[in-house]
């Protein structure tokens, strides 16, 4: 079954190489993306802007669409979700190595499922749960300044401490405010890497769908700001625009409720992951025969519209990259990754607000895993 999974070839360009290549460009060193030397680099990461989303709305994003060549489409990580993707962007390593292997994952030491974006606490210190040094820390140690520009509310979050440590955080309330802050940094003439985060499109997609007018308005705003920013950039500075994942719309009538199959939840202690990529965690001590029966039961029930694999199959297929021993238990015993345009929910959850979301991501489809790499400034290609 694992051989049927659409795992990208090892030679495919990856999101993991973007930040490291940016650092190398400052140093005039060879890099994964073939970037030339730059005096400063600005990397804009747009949450929830897949290559397919740009291609489908090219007339509303002329700057982005005109710069996106086929050779500059990257693959993000699995699962195609923000916590895993941005941690890979920030460390240059796979989810199986840095440890943020999904949206909601098992914290076995405390017998709970924890939200990797907003659930940080003393029981899950971000400095150690995210196991690896960030590339921002590597730059700091090499004497290269780095900055992270985002909303003020993220400045001291657990996720920021997990993935952006080593960078100096600069707040900006709106997309325009963030680009203005990037202008100020570039104006100093400092040889630096600037990371600029744009969450507005993902937020609009979750609430209204990526095919909504609200999402389209955010895309047009971003495109205009990017075009204007590139025109203002100092000569010699480089611009990259990428994303953590793409988005698909899933209407309410395409929801699938896992609690409709109670017989397949016997022996399941926790439900994690997210609607497009469910992670089921077994009861400790569940016999091997029962584990096998659950995997096969879910495969028979959902295999016609989802990839259903065991933890071992997912790791063997390379979905999480190289997996450290202490990270294995964070991966679901069963992974159900939607192949069709569906989303999974559990009506036993006390808080069912997530069912109102329209835009979704997390699975293995091209729409969710192919992200752009837009080159500007000194990085522009003729």
């Amino acid at each position: 079954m694992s051989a049927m999974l659409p795992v990208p070839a090892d030679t495919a360009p990856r999101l993991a190489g973007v930040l490291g290549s940016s650092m190398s460009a400052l140093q005039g060193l060879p890099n994964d993306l073939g970037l030339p030397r730059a005096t400063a680099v600005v990397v804009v990461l747009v949450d929830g802007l897949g290559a397919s989303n740009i291609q489908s709305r090219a007339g509303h994003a002329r700057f982005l669409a005109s710069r996106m060549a086929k050779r500059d489409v990257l693959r993000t990580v699995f699962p195609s979700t923000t916590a895993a993707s941005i941690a890979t962007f920030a460390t240059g390593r796979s989810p199986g190595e840095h440890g943020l292997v999904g949206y909601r994952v098992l914290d076995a030491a405390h017998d709970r499922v924890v939200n990797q974006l907003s659930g940080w606490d003393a029981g899950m210190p971000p400095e150690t749960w995210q196991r690896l040094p960030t590339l921002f820390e590597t730059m700091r140690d090499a004497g290269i300044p780095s900055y992270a520009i985002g909303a003020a509310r993220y400045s001291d979050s657990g996720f920021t401490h997990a993935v952006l440590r080593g960078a100096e955080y600069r707040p900006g309330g709106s997309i325009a405010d963030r680009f203005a802050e990037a202008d100020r940094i570039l104006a100093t003439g400092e040889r630096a890497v600037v990371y600029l985060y744009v969450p507005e499109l993902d937020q609009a997609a979750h609430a209204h769908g990526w095919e909504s007018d609200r999402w389209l308005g955010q895309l047009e705003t971003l495109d205009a700001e990017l075009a204007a920013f590139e025109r203002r950039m100092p000569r010699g500075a480089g611009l990259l625009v990428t994303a953590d994942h793409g988005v698909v719309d899933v209407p309410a009538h395409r929801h699938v409720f896992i609690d409709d199959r109670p017989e397949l939840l016997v022996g399941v202690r926790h439900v994690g992951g997210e609607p497009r990529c469910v992670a089921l965690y077994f009861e400790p001590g569940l016999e091997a025969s029962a584990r096998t029966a659950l995997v096969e039961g879910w495969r028979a029930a959902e295999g016609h519209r989802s990839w259903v694999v065991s933890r071992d199959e997912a790791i063997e297929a390379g979905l999480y990259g190289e997996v450290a021993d202490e990270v294995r238990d964070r991966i679901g015993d069963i992974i159900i990754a939607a192949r069709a345009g569906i989303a999974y929910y559990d009506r036993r959850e006390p808080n069912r607000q997530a069912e109102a979301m329209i835009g979704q991501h997390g699975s293995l489809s091209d729409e969710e895993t192919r992200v752009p790499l837009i080159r500007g400034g000194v990085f522009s290609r003729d």
Side-chain angles (χ1 to χ4, degrees):
M1 175 60 67
S2 60
M4 298 172 62
L5 291 165
V7 182
D10 288 342
T11 56
R14 302 296 180 94
L15 179 65
V18 172
L19 194 57
S21 293
S22 300
M23 177 176 65
S24 294
L26 281 186
Q27 301 167 305
L29 299 174
N31 55 82
D32 291 347
L33 300 181
L35 302 176
R37 180 186 288 272
T39 57
V41 180
V42 178
V43 184
V44 179
L45 190 144
V46 186
D47 200 324
L49 183 64
S52 295
N53 302 127
I54 294 175
Q55 290 163 343
S56 297
R57 295 294 181 268
H60 298 268
R62 295 184 179 181
F63 174 82
L64 288 164
S66 66
R67 298 295 183 91
M68 190 175 72
K70 287 184 179 179
R71 64 183 179 275
D72 280 338
V73 173
L74 307 178
R75 286 281 181 178
T76 189
V77 300
F78 176 80
S80 51
T81 194
T82 298
S85 300
I86 293 184
T88 286
F89 166 83
T91 62
R93 307 286 283 276
S94 68
E97 294 173 283
H98 58 64
L100 275 61
V101 294
Y103 175 55
R104 297 173 67 243
V105 306
L106 179 65
D107 172 14
H110 299 93
D111 191 24
R112 60 178 182 166
V113 169
V114 184
N115 185 310
Q116 302 286 269
L117 291 178
S118 61
W120 302 87
D121 59 20
M124 193 179 76
E127 294 81 7
T128 55
W129 184 267
Q130 195 288 92
R131 307 172 55 253
L132 303 177
T134 71
L135 290 168
F136 299 110
E137 291 175 298
T138 301
M139 284 185 259
R140 180 196 63 198
D141 295 344
I144 299 172
S146 63
Y147 300 88
I149 305 175
R153 66 183 179 277
Y154 301 142
S155 63
D156 198 37
S157 73
F159 185 65
T160 292
H161 285 286
V163 302
L164 301 184
R165 53 183 185 253
E168 179 181 329
Y169 199 92
R170 296 282 184 90
S174 67
I175 295 174
D177 291 339
R178 279 166 244 145
F179 280 108
E181 184 59 40
D183 284 330
R184 286 188 281 271
I185 295 170
L186 293 182
T188 67
E190 194 172 36
R191 186 185 70 149
V193 172
V194 180
Y195 161 65
L196 191 156
Y197 177 59
V198 179
E200 282 86 353
L201 277 79
D202 187 67
Q203 293 165 353
H206 283 313
H208 306 283
W210 80 268
E211 298 187 78
S212 67
D213 290 342
R214 192 74 63 90
W215 186 91
L216 198 60
Q218 295 288 1
L219 176 66
E220 291 174 343
T221 296
L222 172 66
D223 196 70
E225 291 289 346
L226 280 167
F229 177 72
E230 189 197 33
R231 290 193 294 269
R232 301 192 302 265
M233 290 178 71
R235 180 173 297 189
L239 172 67
L240 296 175
V241 184
T242 190
D244 52 350
H245 55 75
V247 182
V248 297
D249 283 357
V250 182
H253 71 271
R254 300 285 290 167
H255 291 179
V256 178
F257 296 101
I258 65 170
D259 53 293
D260 277 340
R261 297 186 178 275
E263 73 281 5
L264 293 179
L265 295 172
V266 176
V268 173
R269 185 172 184 82
H270 295 293
V271 178
E274 57 191 288
R276 291 277 298 166
C277 186
V278 177
L280 302 178
Y281 298 93
F282 294 149
E283 292 280 2
L286 189 67
E287 293 184 359
S289 59
R291 290 169 175 259
T292 300
L294 279 171
V295 173
E296 293 304 323
W298 279 110
R299 189 167 288 160
E302 294 298 322
H304 63 292
R305 55 187 175 185
S306 294
W307 294 283
V308 181
V309 293
S310 69
R311 175 191 293 154
D312 288 345
E313 288 172 329
I315 292 173
E316 181 184 354
L319 288 185
Y320 296 91
E322 186 176 335
V323 178
D325 288 343
E326 67 186 85
V327 175
R328 285 185 64 92
D329 287 349
R330 301 182 192 179
I331 298 171
D333 290 290
I334 303 176
I335 307 297
I336 306 172
R339 188 169 67 242
I342 58 174
Y344 291 97
Y345 291 99
D346 185 352
R347 286 172 296 202
R348 300 171 302 168
E349 286 281 344
N351 185 344
R352 295 178 57 189
Q353 291 181 344
E355 292 175 34
M357 291 195 308
I358 300 173
Q360 303 277 6
H361 53 84
S363 192
L364 284 157
S365 72
D366 280 352
E367 289 79 8
E368 292 158 283
T369 61
R370 293 171 70 252
V371 297
L373 180 70
I374 311 298
R375 302 173 188 241
V378 75
F379 296 154
S380 295
R381 284 179 163 168
D382 296 332

